[in-house]
Structure formats: C-alpha cells, structure tokens
Amino acid sequence: RIDLVSVMLHELGHGLGFLSSVDTINENQLAIGFGGRFIIYDAFLETNTGLPLTDASLFGNPSEELLMAVANNDLVFNGEAAVRENDQEVVPLFAPGTFDVGSSVSHLNETTYRPGSANALMTPFLAAGEAVHDPGPVTLGIFADLGWPLDFVLTNTREAEVTPLTVYPNPAVTEITLDLPPGDQVSSVRLFAADGRLARTVDLSAENRQVSVAGLAPGWYVLQVIAGARAWRSRLIISSK
C-alpha cells in the first residue's frame, strides 16, 4: 500500500518551496518564472555544464532551447548547502527526455536517489510499501539554500521507552508527587498546556519527587518526566481549589 505519512511529508516539501516555475507553453517551448520574477528554487537550476536556466542571455523565455535544456536528463540543483550534503557534487534532478508537467525539475532524480535510500523522499515516484519518514540530508541542504535555517545535527525524536506515570493528587492545586521507581535519576519534568505550549520545566534530584504546580492556570496538562533514556507521561488536571 501507499504510505500516507511519506506522501504528506513529500507534499509539505513542495509547500516549503521545493518547486520550480518551469512550465509548458506549447509542445515545443518551455517558460520559467513570471515576467522576470522567479520562484527561489529556480535560481539554483542549471544544466550539468553550469548554465543557469534563469539567464535570459542563454535561454530565451519561453523557448525551445529551454525545453531542450530541461528535457535531457542533465539538469541539476547547484546550491552551496545542497552540494555540501551531496558529497560536494551538484544535485541531479528529475529531467526525463519528455517533459513531465508536475514531475520534471521539481523532484530529485529517481535513478540517483533510489527507493530505500536516505534522500528518496523528494523523488517523483513512491512505490507501494515504500516508507520515507525523513527528508534526508540533500533535501535539507536544498531547504537551507532556499532560505530555511536548519540545524544539520539530526537527533532521534522518539524516546526509547514511554511509560504511563501515576501522579497524586490529581486534580492538583499547588503540588504533585511523582510515583516513580526508587533510585531513578530524574533529569527533568515538563508540563505542557492543552494547546501544546511548554508551561513549566522543573529539574529534580533523585530524592525529590515533588513538583510545584502553583501559579499555573486551571486546566488539563500533559506531564512528561525524563530519566536518562526513559520517559514517563501522564495527564494532569490542575484545579483552582
């Protein structure tokens, strides 16, 4: 089956700017941009010999020459961050011999970044059973070139183990006690409000199991406790009295 998460991440990538304005005028001509204005992605499009597609002195706009430059399996994305993340090589784009509206130019080359590889998310095709839940370093490099500030030190956002946690009293007014196994070194306690906002962070010692909730607005919260590689969660209600 087709993996919905992969499809949604792929389309979010296009929404964030992984998209060219190159389009057909007729069966013999392509155009790029909108009367001299371009999508930022267009500014990094080049032939493999280094000719920028947006240079009107090289390619008429619209023109048959532009079509020939795009539809020859020889199109690349040449951005500093993308090249760095692609082992110092320009990034091959999907540019088949027949221009494919909606697929050509605005995707990574399927042959270079094959299913199952780290950079397969933004290729034009998703195979049945293929799941890609990470943009990959090359796509992140492209986003950085497009103007999205990124931290390339990626971490796993999944906790190794999440266990339900008992806290009391619940509802609480001023203070709660965590029912944790003795000896676990708790590093932090975080309270998230119903809207997802981080409402409070508390650092605890191994001996201390009490957390103050005084001053927090009444309502329900998600309590997250981190101890090394382990994590506990609980839903907490804070009452006014």
Side-chain angles (χ1 to χ4, degrees):
R1 298 183 180 182
I2 300 300
D3 181 60
L4 177 62
V5 174
S6 301
V7 173
M8 294 301 295
L9 287 175
H10 177 99
E11 299 306 331
L12 283 170
H14 288 312
L16 289 172
F18 199 116
L19 183 71
S20 171
S21 66
V22 173
D23 202 357
T24 53
I25 296 298
N26 53 53
E27 63 181 13
N28 297 316
Q29 291 185 317
L30 284 186
I32 184 170
F34 312 93
R37 296 185 177 184
F38 304 98
I39 295 176
I40 189 171
Y41 181 92
D42 298 331
F44 299 93
L45 300 178
E46 297 181 359
T47 66
N48 202 35
T49 55
L51 303 179
L53 294 192
T54 55
D55 190 336
S57 67
L58 298 173
F59 302 103
N61 190 14
S63 69
E64 183 176 352
E65 290 77 20
L66 190 59
L67 174 61
M68 293 175 63
V70 168
N72 65 359
N73 289 298
D74 197 32
L75 195 65
V76 299
F77 185 100
N78 189 2
E80 181 180 353
V83 169
R84 182 188 69 234
E85 298 301 321
N86 196 46
D87 297 326
Q88 301 302 322
E89 298 286 343
V90 290
V91 177
L93 298 176
F94 182 65
T98 300
F99 183 78
D100 188 349
V101 177
S103 294
S104 290
V105 187
S106 297
H107 293 88
L108 297 179
N109 190 301
E110 183 84 22
T111 302
T112 305
Y113 307 106
R114 302 195 61 81
S117 66
N119 296 295
L121 180 66
M122 295 308 296
T123 59
F125 308 114
L126 183 70
E130 181 183 1
V132 190
H133 295 171
D134 189 296
V138 171
T139 295
L140 290 179
I142 289 176
F143 284 142
D145 288 322
L146 299 182
W148 294 106
L150 292 168
D151 182 353
F152 283 87
V153 180
L154 302 181
T155 59
N156 188 353
T157 56
R158 294 184 179 181
E159 292 93 357
E161 179 182 355
V162 178
T163 306
L165 171 68
T166 300
V167 299
Y168 56 90
N170 191 2
V173 178
T174 59
E175 188 177 79
I176 58 173
T177 299
L178 310 177
D179 186 13
L180 288 169
D184 279 330
Q185 181 62 54
V186 177
S187 58
S188 68
V189 177
R190 295 187 290 180
L191 279 160
F192 295 89
D195 61 0
R197 173 180 50 85
L198 179 60
R200 178 166 296 178
T201 300
V202 180
D203 294 326
L204 293 182
S205 65
E207 296 77 20
N208 187 13
R209 293 293 190 265
Q210 281 72 45
V211 176
S212 172
V213 295
L216 293 175
W220 70 265
Y221 293 76
V222 173
L223 177 73
Q224 182 186 63
V225 178
I226 305 296
R230 301 184 64 189
W232 290 265
R233 283 204 187 103
S234 175
R235 181 170 291 193
L236 172 67
I237 299 175
I238 295 179
S239 175
S240 58
K241 59 179 180 178

